[in-house]
Amino acid sequence: MATSLFSRSILSLALLVLVMLTGSTTAQLSTNFYSRSCSKLFPTVKSTMQSAINREKRIGASILRLFFHDCFVNGCDGSILLDDTSSFTGEKNAAPNRRSARGFEVIDNIKSAVENVCPGVVSCADILAIAARDSVSILEGPKWEVKVGRRDARTASQSAANRNIPPPTSNLNQLISSFSNVGLSTRDMVALSGAHTIGQARCTNFRARIYNETNIDSSFATTRQGNCPRSSGSGDDNLAPLDLQTPTDFDNNYFQNLINRKGLLHSDQQLFNGGSTDSLVRTYSNNPGAFNSDFVSAMIKMGDIKPLTGSRGEIRKNCRRVN
């Protein structure tokens, strides 16, 4: 009798530990997390995102970048959306985000629309994940089902944003290491870099490449120099498309550009510069289906980085501040 009672106690304790452990993993994320609590979530996000892209196609790339910058800093927890206050330092003014990260008002608009159909239910972190997926599909990229169930962080880390988000000056080894640090493989890294098939970059982020580097097509460099003066501080915010061919269409032209030495950023061209990722770039350049498939897998995997689930975090009423 005592032995049986002891065994049941041990079993109960083991189950409790298991529940506690699984509560801190991605197990609670699922594609149908809001199927009952907010059945109109996905069409609401997509229609609002569609309206934003109709106004400015570039915003799709900006939202996708926000999701990337969010997930790389302590996980996909919506921390990048928090504003600085007199008593709180967020991530918006970290070096990779300052005067660069954009689209916050779009997330605000989506949050308001979602609150109208199911108030207090959906996290800002999930809204950002869904909006990133919708941005890709609206711009003619692949479609996938987004896993949801994240909750919002009450904290942010400017230092982690400065440390963890790979800068455009990164070499290949640094890129591989940055992605490996958050559990993403080299294949994931190359596929996710393909997001640069849409969007634009500031002159300050590619000036050194177009004036100083040799692994660049000369006519491409000359073209980009026309809108990006050599002198630092002059024209820093002037923009150029990351994909010179189809900057608002999600396709595989980015990889074709790399093969032709027309990658805009130093970190872009590092993927095709005689290193270990050259073969993947060639594969994606020749096979858009392979790129789309690997990109989807990598996006889902990135969305699994350290989400807050269960009772951790909160559901923010306003994406810019904690409750």
Side-chain angles (χ1 to χ4, degrees):
M1 179 71 175
T3 301
S4 177
L5 181 60
F6 177 75
S7 298
R8 287 200 298 271
S9 297
I10 292 296
L11 179 59
S12 298
L13 180 60
L15 288 172
L16 177 61
V17 170
L18 180 61
V19 168
M20 291 172 66
L21 288 174
T22 55
S24 63
T25 70
T26 61
Q28 294 183 21
L29 297 185
S30 68
T31 57
N32 61 358
F33 186 87
Y34 297 109
S35 59
R36 293 186 178 180
S37 60
C38 192
S39 60
K40 296 181 180 179
L41 170 61
F42 290 105
T44 300
V45 175
K46 186 165 187 178
S47 64
T48 312
M49 195 65 239
Q50 179 73 67
S51 296
I53 289 177
N54 288 345
R55 290 191 297 272
E56 183 200 14
K57 279 200 169 184
R58 180 190 170 201
I59 202 65
S62 299
I63 296 299
L64 181 57
R65 184 168 181 260
L66 276 187
F67 182 56
F68 171 79
H69 282 209
D70 184 40
C71 292
F72 264 60
V73 182
N74 299 329
C76 309
D77 59 4
S79 59
I80 194 173
L81 305 174
L82 292 168
D83 283 342
D84 287 0
T85 69
S86 58
S87 59
F88 179 88
T89 301
E91 297 163 17
K92 289 183 177 180
N93 284 307
N97 298 325
R98 186 173 56 250
R99 300 175 67 185
S100 176
R102 60 193 299 273
F104 298 106
E105 72 288 344
V106 174
I107 300 302
D108 293 339
N109 292 340
I110 297 173
K111 176 66 171 175
S112 295
V114 170
E115 287 293 302
N116 284 337
V117 296
C118 41
V121 173
V122 182
S123 69
C124 299
D126 276 344
I127 285 173
L128 181 54
I130 300 165
R133 184 276 309 270
D134 289 343
S135 295
V136 172
S137 63
I138 291 169
L139 295 175
E140 308 302 326
K143 300 172 175 60
W144 67 94
E145 289 191 275
V146 179
K147 291 197 289 184
V148 288
R150 301 169 189 83
R151 288 167 65 86
D152 296 318
R154 297 187 180 97
T155 60
S157 177
Q158 188 176 109
S159 60
N162 284 323
R163 183 174 61 250
N164 296 348
I165 298 172
T169 55
S170 300
N171 62 36
L172 182 59
N173 287 336
Q174 290 168 333
L175 289 170
I176 291 172
S177 178
S178 293
F179 280 73
S180 176
N181 287 341
V182 293
L184 296 172
S185 68
T186 300
R187 179 178 289 270
D188 295 328
M189 182 269 291
V190 177
L192 288 170
S193 297
H196 284 181
T197 186
I198 54 175
Q200 302 186 59
R202 297 162 62 224
C203 165
T204 188
N205 288 325
F206 60 83
R207 175 182 285 119
R209 169 155 168 74
I210 62 174
Y211 284 103
N212 302 331
E213 297 187 9
T214 57
N215 63 337
I216 187 169
D217 178 85
S218 58
S219 62
F220 173 72
T222 300
T223 298
R224 293 280 73 93
Q225 289 168 9
N227 195 41
C228 182
R230 182 186 293 270
S231 301
S232 178
S234 176
D236 282 0
D237 292 333
N238 292 352
L239 298 171
L242 288 159
D243 170 8
L244 77 163
Q245 298 180 71
T246 52
T248 58
D249 290 340
F250 196 97
D251 52 32
N252 68 329
N253 281 342
Y254 166 80
F255 298 103
Q256 297 171 9
N257 293 335
L258 299 186
I259 290 173
N260 293 322
R261 298 188 302 143
K262 295 179 180 181
L264 183 63
L265 303 179
H266 175 81
S267 55
D268 287 329
Q269 197 60 55
Q270 285 290 293
L271 303 185
F272 192 81
N273 193 35
S276 61
T277 55
D278 282 16
S279 60
L280 262 179
V281 170
R282 288 193 185 279
T283 296
Y284 294 155
S285 172
N286 294 323
N287 190 336
F291 164 51
N292 286 344
S293 177
D294 284 356
F295 179 81
V296 166
S297 296
M299 282 293 290
I300 294 171
K301 192 173 175 182
M302 185 171 72
D304 283 344
I305 298 174
K306 294 192 295 186
L308 298 175
T309 57
S311 60
R312 297 185 302 158
E314 64 182 14
I315 304 298
R316 279 186 223 139
K317 298 174 183 176
N318 182 325
C319 291
R320 292 176 179 265
R321 59 177 180 265
V322 298
N323 293 340

